Amino acid sequence: MLDETAFRRQSDASIESLKKSLIQVEEDAGFEVEEQNSVLSIQFDDPPGKFVITPNAPVRQIWISALSTSFKLDWSESAGDFVLPRSGETLKEVVARVINEYLGSSSLTLP
């Protein structure tokens, strides 16, 4: 497990990278990305909804609240990314999948 300083460094870098990828596709995909205090929000107009991505330092995870579910990602040294343990998906892969599920699409990929 990462110590708190390493977790903060890795989670900040991962969320920043995710934010940049989401901003590149937000206009075409139909959502808006906002960040406040290391919490990333994805707002949808049609259908209305909101996903929240936040670091959880006490348990050293990044949590995604989306599709009435909480996805809890752990740091994987081998992947060099936060990963969903049950599927092996990286942070960007999970976010792209849940956005596609929410929008009823399969076309969104995150750079």
Side-chain angles (χ1 to χ4, degrees), residues 5-108:
T5 302
F7 169 76
R8 293 234 183 250
R9 185 174 51 252
Q10 296 295 0
S11 64
D12 287 350
S14 293
I15 289 174
E16 183 64 24
S17 176
L18 174 62
K19 180 179 83 172
K20 288 178 180 176
S21 293
L22 288 166
I23 287 171
Q24 288 180 28
V25 300
E26 71 181 334
E27 190 172 316
D28 292 335
F31 58 79
E32 185 177 325
V33 179
E34 297 176 1
E35 181 185 16
Q36 187 171 24
N37 300 325
S38 298
V39 175
L40 204 58
S41 298
I42 304 169
Q43 302 266 10
F44 299 91
D45 288 333
D46 188 26
K50 181 178 182 178
F51 294 174
V52 178
I53 301 147
T54 184
N56 188 324
V59 293
R60 311 293 195 267
Q61 294 177 322
I62 290 181
W63 289 6
I64 302 169
S65 177
L67 304 176
S68 301
T69 305
S70 180
F71 301 90
K72 299 175 181 180
L73 290 82
D74 297 311
W75 176 254
S76 167
E77 200 65 48
S78 61
D81 203 345
F82 284 87
V83 173
L84 187 63
R86 64 186 155 128
S87 67
E89 295 168 289
T90 65
L91 177 61
K92 286 182 183 180
E93 291 169 340
V94 173
V95 171
R97 175 173 57 85
V98 297
I99 289 172
N100 280 324
E101 286 178 29
Y102 186 74
L103 296 175
S105 172
S106 62
S107 59
L108 179 74

